[in-house]
Short mmCIF file of all heavy atoms in Angstrom, two decimals:
data_model
loop_
_atom_site.label_atom_id
_atom_site.label_comp_id
_atom_site.label_asym_id
_atom_site.label_seq_id
_atom_site.Cartn_x
_atom_site.Cartn_y
_atom_site.Cartn_z
N LEU E 1207 7.91 -1.23 -3.97
CA LEU E 1207 7.18 0.00 -4.29
C LEU E 1207 6.90 0.75 -2.99
O LEU E 1207 6.51 0.16 -1.99
CB LEU E 1207 5.84 -0.32 -4.95
CG LEU E 1207 5.85 -1.19 -6.22
CD1 LEU E 1207 4.41 -1.48 -6.65
CD2 LEU E 1207 6.62 -0.50 -7.35
N ARG E 1208 7.11 2.07 -3.04
CA ARG E 1208 6.63 2.92 -1.95
C ARG E 1208 5.30 3.50 -2.40
O ARG E 1208 5.22 4.22 -3.38
CB ARG E 1208 7.63 4.04 -1.63
CG ARG E 1208 7.23 4.85 -0.39
CD ARG E 1208 8.25 5.91 -0.01
NE ARG E 1208 8.34 6.97 -0.99
CZ ARG E 1208 8.69 8.23 -0.71
NH1 ARG E 1208 8.97 8.57 0.54
NH2 ARG E 1208 8.76 9.12 -1.66
N VAL E 1209 4.24 3.15 -1.66
CA VAL E 1209 2.87 3.40 -2.09
C VAL E 1209 2.33 4.64 -1.39
O VAL E 1209 2.20 4.67 -0.16
CB VAL E 1209 1.98 2.18 -1.78
CG1 VAL E 1209 0.53 2.46 -2.18
CG2 VAL E 1209 2.51 0.95 -2.50
N ILE E 1210 2.01 5.66 -2.19
CA ILE E 1210 1.33 6.84 -1.68
C ILE E 1210 -0.14 6.46 -1.54
O ILE E 1210 -0.86 6.36 -2.52
CB ILE E 1210 1.50 8.04 -2.64
CG1 ILE E 1210 2.98 8.23 -3.02
CG2 ILE E 1210 0.89 9.29 -2.05
CD1 ILE E 1210 3.90 8.54 -1.87
N GLY E 1211 -0.59 6.24 -0.34
CA GLY E 1211 -1.77 5.44 -0.08
C GLY E 1211 -3.09 6.05 -0.46
O GLY E 1211 -3.22 7.22 -0.80
N HIS E 1212 -4.09 5.20 -0.40
CA HIS E 1212 -5.47 5.53 -0.71
C HIS E 1212 -6.29 4.94 0.41
O HIS E 1212 -6.30 3.72 0.60
CB HIS E 1212 -5.85 4.91 -2.05
CG HIS E 1212 -7.11 5.45 -2.64
ND1 HIS E 1212 -7.51 5.16 -3.91
CD2 HIS E 1212 -8.06 6.27 -2.13
CE1 HIS E 1212 -8.66 5.77 -4.17
NE2 HIS E 1212 -9.01 6.44 -3.10
N ARG E 1213 -6.96 5.77 1.16
CA ARG E 1213 -7.61 5.26 2.38
C ARG E 1213 -8.63 4.16 2.07
O ARG E 1213 -9.31 4.19 1.05
CB ARG E 1213 -8.30 6.40 3.14
CG ARG E 1213 -9.44 7.09 2.43
CD ARG E 1213 -10.25 7.95 3.41
NE ARG E 1213 -11.10 8.93 2.76
CZ ARG E 1213 -12.30 8.66 2.28
NH1 ARG E 1213 -12.79 7.42 2.34
NH2 ARG E 1213 -13.03 9.62 1.72
N ASP E 1214 -8.66 3.20 2.97
CA ASP E 1214 -9.66 2.12 2.92
C ASP E 1214 -9.62 1.35 1.61
O ASP E 1214 -10.65 0.96 1.07
CB ASP E 1214 -11.07 2.69 3.14
CG ASP E 1214 -11.20 3.46 4.45
OD1 ASP E 1214 -10.57 3.03 5.44
OD2 ASP E 1214 -11.89 4.49 4.47
N ALA E 1215 -8.42 1.13 1.09
CA ALA E 1215 -8.30 0.42 -0.19
C ALA E 1215 -7.48 -0.86 -0.08
O ALA E 1215 -7.10 -1.44 -1.10
CB ALA E 1215 -7.68 1.35 -1.25
N GLY E 1216 -7.17 -1.29 1.13
CA GLY E 1216 -6.53 -2.59 1.32
C GLY E 1216 -5.03 -2.63 1.09
O GLY E 1216 -4.46 -3.72 1.03
N GLU E 1217 -4.38 -1.48 1.00
CA GLU E 1217 -2.95 -1.50 0.68
C GLU E 1217 -2.10 -2.03 1.83
O GLU E 1217 -1.13 -2.76 1.61
CB GLU E 1217 -2.51 -0.09 0.26
CG GLU E 1217 -3.11 0.32 -1.07
CD GLU E 1217 -3.06 1.81 -1.33
OE1 GLU E 1217 -3.12 2.59 -0.36
OE2 GLU E 1217 -2.98 2.20 -2.50
N ILE E 1218 -2.45 -1.66 3.06
CA ILE E 1218 -1.73 -2.19 4.22
C ILE E 1218 -1.89 -3.71 4.28
O ILE E 1218 -0.92 -4.46 4.50
CB ILE E 1218 -2.25 -1.55 5.52
CG1 ILE E 1218 -1.87 -0.06 5.57
CG2 ILE E 1218 -1.74 -2.30 6.75
CD1 ILE E 1218 -0.43 0.22 5.85
N GLU E 1219 -3.10 -4.18 4.06
CA GLU E 1219 -3.37 -5.62 4.11
C GLU E 1219 -2.62 -6.35 2.99
O GLU E 1219 -2.07 -7.45 3.21
CB GLU E 1219 -4.87 -5.88 4.01
CG GLU E 1219 -5.67 -5.41 5.22
CD GLU E 1219 -5.93 -3.91 5.25
OE1 GLU E 1219 -5.63 -3.21 4.25
OE2 GLU E 1219 -6.43 -3.42 6.28
N LEU E 1220 -2.60 -5.76 1.79
CA LEU E 1220 -1.86 -6.37 0.69
C LEU E 1220 -0.38 -6.43 1.01
O LEU E 1220 0.28 -7.45 0.76
CB LEU E 1220 -2.09 -5.59 -0.60
CG LEU E 1220 -1.37 -6.11 -1.84
CD1 LEU E 1220 -1.75 -7.55 -2.16
CD2 LEU E 1220 -1.64 -5.21 -3.05
N ARG E 1221 0.16 -5.35 1.57
CA ARG E 1221 1.57 -5.35 2.00
C ARG E 1221 1.87 -6.52 2.91
O ARG E 1221 2.87 -7.24 2.73
CB ARG E 1221 1.87 -4.04 2.73
CG ARG E 1221 3.27 -3.94 3.33
CD ARG E 1221 3.35 -2.87 4.40
NE ARG E 1221 2.57 -3.23 5.59
CZ ARG E 1221 2.34 -2.38 6.61
NH1 ARG E 1221 2.81 -1.16 6.57
NH2 ARG E 1221 1.64 -2.81 7.65
N ASP E 1222 1.00 -6.74 3.89
CA ASP E 1222 1.27 -7.78 4.87
C ASP E 1222 1.12 -9.19 4.27
O ASP E 1222 1.89 -10.10 4.61
CB ASP E 1222 0.33 -7.61 6.07
CG ASP E 1222 0.61 -6.33 6.84
OD1 ASP E 1222 1.67 -5.71 6.63
OD2 ASP E 1222 -0.26 -5.92 7.64
N LEU E 1223 0.15 -9.37 3.39
CA LEU E 1223 -0.02 -10.66 2.73
C LEU E 1223 1.19 -11.00 1.86
O LEU E 1223 1.65 -12.15 1.83
CB LEU E 1223 -1.29 -10.66 1.88
CG LEU E 1223 -2.61 -10.77 2.66
CD1 LEU E 1223 -3.78 -10.37 1.77
CD2 LEU E 1223 -2.80 -12.19 3.19
N ILE E 1224 1.72 -10.01 1.15
CA ILE E 1224 2.91 -10.23 0.33
C ILE E 1224 4.11 -10.54 1.22
O ILE E 1224 4.90 -11.45 0.93
CB ILE E 1224 3.18 -9.02 -0.57
CG1 ILE E 1224 2.10 -8.91 -1.66
CG2 ILE E 1224 4.56 -9.10 -1.21
CD1 ILE E 1224 2.14 -7.63 -2.46
N GLU E 1225 4.23 -9.80 2.32
CA GLU E 1225 5.37 -10.01 3.22
C GLU E 1225 5.32 -11.42 3.83
O GLU E 1225 6.37 -12.04 4.05
CB GLU E 1225 5.37 -8.95 4.32
CG GLU E 1225 6.69 -8.83 5.05
CD GLU E 1225 7.85 -8.42 4.16
OE1 GLU E 1225 7.64 -7.67 3.19
OE2 GLU E 1225 8.99 -8.89 4.43
N ARG E 1226 4.11 -11.93 4.08
CA ARG E 1226 3.97 -13.29 4.62
C ARG E 1226 4.05 -14.35 3.52
O ARG E 1226 3.92 -15.54 3.80
CB ARG E 1226 2.62 -13.43 5.35
CG ARG E 1226 2.48 -12.56 6.58
CD ARG E 1226 1.38 -13.05 7.50
NE ARG E 1226 0.06 -13.03 6.89
CZ ARG E 1226 -0.81 -12.02 6.98
NH1 ARG E 1226 -0.47 -10.91 7.64
NH2 ARG E 1226 -2.01 -12.09 6.43
N ARG E 1227 4.21 -13.90 2.29
CA ARG E 1227 4.33 -14.77 1.12
C ARG E 1227 3.04 -15.54 0.86
O ARG E 1227 3.07 -16.61 0.25
CB ARG E 1227 5.55 -15.69 1.26
CG ARG E 1227 6.85 -14.92 1.44
CD ARG E 1227 8.06 -15.78 1.54
NE ARG E 1227 8.45 -16.26 0.22
CZ ARG E 1227 9.64 -16.79 -0.03
NH1 ARG E 1227 10.54 -16.91 0.93
NH2 ARG E 1227 9.94 -17.22 -1.23
N SER E 1228 1.92 -14.97 1.30
CA SER E 1228 0.63 -15.53 0.94
C SER E 1228 0.21 -15.09 -0.45
O SER E 1228 -0.60 -15.75 -1.11
CB SER E 1228 -0.43 -15.10 1.96
OG SER E 1228 -0.13 -15.61 3.23
N PHE E 1229 0.73 -13.94 -0.89
CA PHE E 1229 0.51 -13.43 -2.24
C PHE E 1229 1.87 -13.23 -2.90
O PHE E 1229 2.85 -12.88 -2.23
CB PHE E 1229 -0.20 -12.07 -2.21
CG PHE E 1229 -1.70 -12.13 -2.12
CD1 PHE E 1229 -2.36 -13.15 -1.46
CD2 PHE E 1229 -2.47 -11.14 -2.71
CE1 PHE E 1229 -3.74 -13.19 -1.37
CE2 PHE E 1229 -3.86 -11.15 -2.62
CZ PHE E 1229 -4.49 -12.19 -1.96
N VAL E 1230 1.92 -13.41 -4.22
CA VAL E 1230 3.09 -13.01 -5.00
C VAL E 1230 2.94 -11.53 -5.34
O VAL E 1230 1.90 -11.09 -5.82
CB VAL E 1230 3.21 -13.83 -6.30
CG1 VAL E 1230 4.32 -13.28 -7.19
CG2 VAL E 1230 3.45 -15.30 -5.97
N GLY E 1231 3.98 -10.77 -5.08
CA GLY E 1231 3.93 -9.35 -5.42
C GLY E 1231 5.19 -8.66 -4.99
O GLY E 1231 6.05 -9.24 -4.31
N PRO E 1232 5.35 -7.40 -5.38
CA PRO E 1232 6.49 -6.62 -4.93
C PRO E 1232 6.34 -6.27 -3.45
O PRO E 1232 5.23 -6.18 -2.93
CB PRO E 1232 6.43 -5.37 -5.80
CG PRO E 1232 4.97 -5.22 -6.12
CD PRO E 1232 4.43 -6.61 -6.23
N ARG E 1233 7.45 -6.06 -2.79
CA ARG E 1233 7.39 -5.57 -1.41
C ARG E 1233 6.80 -4.16 -1.43
O ARG E 1233 7.11 -3.36 -2.32
CB ARG E 1233 8.78 -5.56 -0.79
CG ARG E 1233 9.45 -6.94 -0.77
CD ARG E 1233 10.83 -6.87 -0.15
NE ARG E 1233 11.59 -8.08 -0.42
CZ ARG E 1233 11.56 -9.18 0.33
NH1 ARG E 1233 10.78 -9.21 1.41
NH2 ARG E 1233 12.27 -10.24 0.01
N LEU E 1234 5.97 -3.86 -0.44
CA LEU E 1234 5.31 -2.56 -0.39
C LEU E 1234 5.67 -1.82 0.89
O LEU E 1234 5.72 -2.41 1.98
CB LEU E 1234 3.78 -2.74 -0.44
CG LEU E 1234 3.21 -3.52 -1.62
CD1 LEU E 1234 1.68 -3.62 -1.49
CD2 LEU E 1234 3.59 -2.90 -2.96
N LYS E 1235 5.92 -0.54 0.76
CA LYS E 1235 6.00 0.39 1.88
C LYS E 1235 4.86 1.38 1.68
O LYS E 1235 4.78 2.03 0.64
CB LYS E 1235 7.35 1.10 1.92
CG LYS E 1235 8.52 0.20 2.25
CD LYS E 1235 8.44 -0.30 3.69
CE LYS E 1235 9.65 -1.12 4.08
NZ LYS E 1235 9.56 -1.59 5.48
N VAL E 1236 3.99 1.51 2.68
CA VAL E 1236 2.70 2.17 2.46
C VAL E 1236 2.48 3.33 3.43
O VAL E 1236 2.72 3.20 4.63
CB VAL E 1236 1.56 1.14 2.63
CG1 VAL E 1236 0.20 1.81 2.40
CG2 VAL E 1236 1.74 -0.03 1.68
N ALA E 1237 2.00 4.46 2.87
CA ALA E 1237 1.37 5.51 3.68
C ALA E 1237 -0.14 5.29 3.57
O ALA E 1237 -0.68 5.31 2.46
CB ALA E 1237 1.73 6.89 3.15
N PRO E 1238 -0.84 5.04 4.68
CA PRO E 1238 -2.26 4.69 4.58
C PRO E 1238 -3.11 5.77 3.91
O PRO E 1238 -4.16 5.47 3.36
CB PRO E 1238 -2.68 4.51 6.04
CG PRO E 1238 -1.42 4.22 6.77
CD PRO E 1238 -0.35 4.99 6.06
N TRP E 1239 -2.68 7.01 3.97
CA TRP E 1239 -3.39 8.12 3.34
C TRP E 1239 -2.48 9.33 3.43
O TRP E 1239 -1.47 9.32 4.14
CB TRP E 1239 -4.72 8.38 4.04
CG TRP E 1239 -5.77 9.21 3.34
CD1 TRP E 1239 -6.66 10.05 3.94
CD2 TRP E 1239 -6.08 9.26 1.95
NE1 TRP E 1239 -7.50 10.62 3.01
CE2 TRP E 1239 -7.16 10.15 1.78
CE3 TRP E 1239 -5.54 8.65 0.81
CZ2 TRP E 1239 -7.73 10.45 0.53
CZ3 TRP E 1239 -6.09 8.93 -0.43
CH2 TRP E 1239 -7.17 9.82 -0.55
N TRP E 1240 -2.78 10.38 2.69
CA TRP E 1240 -2.00 11.60 2.82
C TRP E 1240 -2.58 12.46 3.95
O TRP E 1240 -3.64 12.18 4.49
CB TRP E 1240 -1.99 12.36 1.50
CG TRP E 1240 -3.34 12.62 0.89
CD1 TRP E 1240 -4.44 13.16 1.50
CD2 TRP E 1240 -3.74 12.34 -0.46
NE1 TRP E 1240 -5.50 13.25 0.63
CE2 TRP E 1240 -5.09 12.75 -0.59
CE3 TRP E 1240 -3.09 11.82 -1.57
CZ2 TRP E 1240 -5.80 12.64 -1.78
CZ3 TRP E 1240 -3.80 11.69 -2.75
CH2 TRP E 1240 -5.13 12.10 -2.86
N ILE E 1241 -1.86 13.53 4.30
CA ILE E 1241 -2.37 14.53 5.23
C ILE E 1241 -2.49 15.84 4.46
O ILE E 1241 -1.51 16.35 3.92
CB ILE E 1241 -1.46 14.69 6.46
CG1 ILE E 1241 -1.41 13.37 7.24
CG2 ILE E 1241 -1.95 15.82 7.35
CD1 ILE E 1241 -0.53 13.40 8.47
N SER E 1242 -3.71 16.35 4.36
CA SER E 1242 -4.00 17.53 3.55
C SER E 1242 -4.82 18.53 4.35
O SER E 1242 -5.70 18.15 5.12
CB SER E 1242 -4.78 17.13 2.30
OG SER E 1242 -5.22 18.28 1.57
N MET E 1243 -4.55 19.82 4.13
CA MET E 1243 -5.36 20.85 4.76
C MET E 1243 -6.68 21.00 3.99
O MET E 1243 -6.80 20.59 2.83
CB MET E 1243 -4.62 22.19 4.78
CG MET E 1243 -4.47 22.85 3.42
SD MET E 1243 -3.55 24.41 3.56
CE MET E 1243 -4.01 25.18 1.99
N THR E 1244 -7.66 21.58 4.64
CA THR E 1244 -8.91 21.92 3.96
C THR E 1244 -8.60 22.90 2.82
O THR E 1244 -7.91 23.89 3.02
CB THR E 1244 -9.89 22.57 4.95
OG1 THR E 1244 -10.15 21.65 6.01
CG2 THR E 1244 -11.19 22.93 4.26
N GLY E 1245 -9.09 22.58 1.63
CA GLY E 1245 -8.80 23.40 0.46
C GLY E 1245 -7.42 23.17 -0.11
O GLY E 1245 -7.01 23.89 -1.04
N GLY E 1246 -6.70 22.19 0.40
CA GLY E 1246 -5.37 21.87 -0.11
C GLY E 1246 -5.41 20.85 -1.24
O GLY E 1246 -6.48 20.40 -1.67
N HIS E 1247 -4.23 20.45 -1.67
CA HIS E 1247 -4.12 19.57 -2.83
C HIS E 1247 -4.89 18.27 -2.66
O HIS E 1247 -5.62 17.85 -3.56
CB HIS E 1247 -2.63 19.28 -3.10
CG HIS E 1247 -2.37 18.40 -4.28
ND1 HIS E 1247 -2.87 18.66 -5.54
CD2 HIS E 1247 -1.65 17.26 -4.40
CE1 HIS E 1247 -2.47 17.72 -6.38
NE2 HIS E 1247 -1.74 16.85 -5.71
N GLY E 1248 -4.76 17.63 -1.51
CA GLY E 1248 -5.47 16.38 -1.29
C GLY E 1248 -6.97 16.56 -1.23
O GLY E 1248 -7.74 15.74 -1.74
N ASP E 1249 -7.43 17.66 -0.61
CA ASP E 1249 -8.86 17.94 -0.52
C ASP E 1249 -9.45 18.18 -1.91
O ASP E 1249 -10.54 17.70 -2.23
CB ASP E 1249 -9.06 19.18 0.36
CG ASP E 1249 -10.52 19.44 0.71
OD1 ASP E 1249 -11.34 18.51 0.58
OD2 ASP E 1249 -10.82 20.57 1.13
#
């Protein structure tokens, strides 16, 4: 899964745990958060 990230939600850590095979799960590619302008879609 390519994960459009959510800040401070543990997605990077989950990616690494799965990659180390400490957790069962799909491989993850993660953006830690989006980049949005003030008044833009993310805001």
Side-chain angles (χ1 to χ4, degrees):
L1207 305 175
R1208 187 176 67 151
V1209 178
I1210 310 298
H1212 194 171
R1213 64 166 163 83
D1214 303 323
E1217 292 163 329
I1218 292 287
E1219 292 79 8
L1220 180 59
R1221 175 199 68 189
D1222 294 346
L1223 285 164
I1224 290 171
E1225 197 61 33
R1226 295 199 298 267
R1227 302 182 77 165
S1228 296
F1229 275 32
V1230 172
R1233 301 180 194 273
L1234 305 179
K1235 292 292 184 180
V1236 180
W1239 197 214
W1240 52 50
I1241 297 179
S1242 173
M1243 71 181 198
T1244 301
H1247 180 53
D1249 190 18

